[in-house]
mmCIF file of all heavy atoms in Angstrom:
data_model
loop_
_atom_site.group_PDB
_atom_site.id
_atom_site.type_symbol
_atom_site.label_atom_id
_atom_site.label_comp_id
_atom_site.label_asym_id
_atom_site.label_seq_id
_atom_site.Cartn_x
_atom_site.Cartn_y
_atom_site.Cartn_z
ATOM 1 N N GLU A 149 -27.366 94.969 7.895
ATOM 2 C CA GLU A 149 -27.358 95.464 9.264
ATOM 3 C C GLU A 149 -28.539 94.924 10.072
ATOM 4 O O GLU A 149 -28.453 94.785 11.298
ATOM 5 C CB GLU A 149 -27.389 96.996 9.259
ATOM 6 C CG GLU A 149 -26.150 97.650 8.650
ATOM 7 C CD GLU A 149 -26.119 97.602 7.129
ATOM 8 O OE1 GLU A 149 -27.132 97.197 6.503
ATOM 9 O OE2 GLU A 149 -25.067 97.967 6.557
ATOM 10 N N SER A 150 -29.639 94.618 9.386
ATOM 11 C CA SER A 150 -30.817 94.077 10.065
ATOM 12 C C SER A 150 -30.806 92.561 10.152
ATOM 13 O O SER A 150 -31.774 91.951 10.624
ATOM 14 C CB SER A 150 -32.086 94.540 9.337
ATOM 15 O OG SER A 150 -32.060 94.146 7.982
ATOM 16 N N GLY A 151 -29.725 91.949 9.673
ATOM 17 C CA GLY A 151 -29.590 90.498 9.768
ATOM 18 C C GLY A 151 -30.144 89.729 8.595
ATOM 19 O O GLY A 151 -30.156 88.485 8.613
ATOM 20 N N ASN A 152 -30.597 90.431 7.557
ATOM 21 C CA ASN A 152 -31.129 89.768 6.368
ATOM 22 C C ASN A 152 -30.021 89.469 5.365
ATOM 23 O O ASN A 152 -28.899 89.949 5.495
ATOM 24 C CB ASN A 152 -32.189 90.647 5.709
ATOM 25 C CG ASN A 152 -33.385 90.865 6.590
ATOM 26 O OD1 ASN A 152 -33.840 89.945 7.275
ATOM 27 N ND2 ASN A 152 -33.922 92.080 6.602
ATOM 28 N N ALA A 153 -30.383 88.708 4.327
ATOM 29 C CA ALA A 153 -29.449 88.426 3.242
ATOM 30 C C ALA A 153 -29.514 89.535 2.205
ATOM 31 O O ALA A 153 -30.581 90.096 1.935
ATOM 32 C CB ALA A 153 -29.783 87.087 2.591
ATOM 33 N N ALA A 154 -28.352 89.860 1.624
ATOM 34 C CA ALA A 154 -28.288 90.781 0.492
ATOM 35 C C ALA A 154 -27.472 90.129 -0.613
ATOM 36 O O ALA A 154 -26.594 89.305 -0.359
ATOM 37 C CB ALA A 154 -27.655 92.104 0.899
ATOM 38 N N ASN A 155 -27.803 90.497 -1.842
ATOM 39 C CA ASN A 155 -27.047 90.098 -3.027
ATOM 40 C C ASN A 155 -26.170 91.302 -3.356
ATOM 41 O O ASN A 155 -26.653 92.306 -3.877
ATOM 42 C CB ASN A 155 -28.020 89.771 -4.161
ATOM 43 C CG ASN A 155 -27.340 89.291 -5.428
ATOM 44 O OD1 ASN A 155 -26.146 89.470 -5.613
ATOM 45 N ND2 ASN A 155 -28.123 88.701 -6.321
ATOM 46 N N CYS A 156 -24.890 91.220 -3.009
ATOM 47 C CA CYS A 156 -24.053 92.423 -2.960
ATOM 48 C C CYS A 156 -22.825 92.314 -3.865
ATOM 49 O O CYS A 156 -22.037 91.369 -3.751
ATOM 50 C CB CYS A 156 -23.608 92.667 -1.519
ATOM 51 S SG CYS A 156 -22.695 94.200 -1.279
ATOM 52 N N PHE A 157 -22.678 93.286 -4.748
ATOM 53 C CA PHE A 157 -21.473 93.442 -5.562
ATOM 54 C C PHE A 157 -20.343 93.947 -4.671
ATOM 55 O O PHE A 157 -20.514 94.890 -3.899
ATOM 56 C CB PHE A 157 -21.757 94.456 -6.675
ATOM 57 C CG PHE A 157 -20.555 94.900 -7.467
ATOM 58 C CD1 PHE A 157 -20.231 94.290 -8.667
ATOM 59 C CD2 PHE A 157 -19.762 95.961 -7.032
ATOM 60 C CE1 PHE A 157 -19.145 94.718 -9.418
ATOM 61 C CE2 PHE A 157 -18.676 96.395 -7.765
ATOM 62 C CZ PHE A 157 -18.361 95.771 -8.959
ATOM 63 N N HIS A 158 -19.189 93.281 -4.784
ATOM 64 C CA HIS A 158 -17.980 93.724 -4.086
ATOM 65 C C HIS A 158 -16.891 93.996 -5.116
ATOM 66 O O HIS A 158 -16.768 93.266 -6.113
ATOM 67 C CB HIS A 158 -17.452 92.632 -3.138
ATOM 68 C CG HIS A 158 -18.290 92.393 -1.928
ATOM 69 N ND1 HIS A 158 -19.554 91.839 -1.983
ATOM 70 C CD2 HIS A 158 -18.033 92.613 -0.606
ATOM 71 C CE1 HIS A 158 -20.033 91.735 -0.757
ATOM 72 N NE2 HIS A 158 -19.126 92.184 0.095
ATOM 73 N N TYR A 159 -16.096 95.019 -4.847
ATOM 74 C CA TYR A 159 -14.917 95.304 -5.670
ATOM 75 C C TYR A 159 -13.721 95.447 -4.740
ATOM 76 O O TYR A 159 -13.703 96.319 -3.861
ATOM 77 C CB TYR A 159 -15.102 96.584 -6.482
ATOM 78 C CG TYR A 159 -13.971 96.859 -7.455
ATOM 79 C CD1 TYR A 159 -14.107 96.555 -8.808
ATOM 80 C CD2 TYR A 159 -12.761 97.431 -7.024
ATOM 81 C CE1 TYR A 159 -13.078 96.800 -9.705
ATOM 82 C CE2 TYR A 159 -11.732 97.670 -7.919
ATOM 83 C CZ TYR A 159 -11.894 97.354 -9.254
ATOM 84 O OH TYR A 159 -10.871 97.597 -10.141
ATOM 85 N N PHE A 160 -12.747 94.558 -4.911
ATOM 86 C CA PHE A 160 -11.506 94.587 -4.146
ATOM 87 C C PHE A 160 -10.378 95.005 -5.083
ATOM 88 O O PHE A 160 -10.256 94.465 -6.189
ATOM 89 C CB PHE A 160 -11.179 93.205 -3.573
ATOM 90 C CG PHE A 160 -12.307 92.570 -2.825
ATOM 91 C CD1 PHE A 160 -13.105 91.592 -3.421
ATOM 92 C CD2 PHE A 160 -12.589 92.935 -1.513
ATOM 93 C CE1 PHE A 160 -14.150 90.996 -2.742
ATOM 94 C CE2 PHE A 160 -13.634 92.344 -0.821
ATOM 95 C CZ PHE A 160 -14.423 91.373 -1.426
ATOM 96 N N ASP A 161 -9.566 95.958 -4.663
ATOM 97 C CA ASP A 161 -8.440 96.337 -5.511
ATOM 98 C C ASP A 161 -7.296 95.340 -5.344
ATOM 99 O O ASP A 161 -7.410 94.362 -4.591
ATOM 100 C CB ASP A 161 -7.994 97.779 -5.246
ATOM 101 C CG ASP A 161 -7.375 98.006 -3.872
ATOM 102 O OD1 ASP A 161 -6.971 97.032 -3.203
ATOM 103 O OD2 ASP A 161 -7.286 99.187 -3.459
ATOM 104 N N ALA A 162 -6.211 95.571 -6.051
ATOM 105 C CA ALA A 162 -5.095 94.615 -6.065
ATOM 106 C C ALA A 162 -4.353 94.541 -4.733
ATOM 107 O O ALA A 162 -3.494 93.681 -4.550
ATOM 108 C CB ALA A 162 -4.120 94.975 -7.189
ATOM 109 N N ARG A 163 -4.712 95.413 -3.790
ATOM 110 C CA ARG A 163 -4.138 95.372 -2.444
ATOM 111 C C ARG A 163 -5.084 94.687 -1.467
ATOM 112 O O ARG A 163 -4.799 94.604 -0.267
ATOM 113 C CB ARG A 163 -3.817 96.801 -1.984
ATOM 114 C CG ARG A 163 -2.756 97.475 -2.859
ATOM 115 C CD ARG A 163 -2.660 98.970 -2.639
ATOM 116 N NE ARG A 163 -3.845 99.677 -3.132
ATOM 117 C CZ ARG A 163 -4.060 99.972 -4.414
ATOM 118 N NH1 ARG A 163 -3.195 99.607 -5.343
ATOM 119 N NH2 ARG A 163 -5.143 100.624 -4.775
ATOM 120 N N GLY A 164 -6.232 94.230 -1.987
ATOM 121 C CA GLY A 164 -7.210 93.546 -1.143
ATOM 122 C C GLY A 164 -8.141 94.477 -0.399
ATOM 123 O O GLY A 164 -8.909 94.047 0.468
#
Side-chain angles (χ1 to χ4, degrees):
E149 295 77 8
S150 57
N152 296 320
N155 182 343
C156 185
F157 170 95
H158 289 68
Y159 186 100
F160 309 100
D161 67 17
R163 297 166 291 281

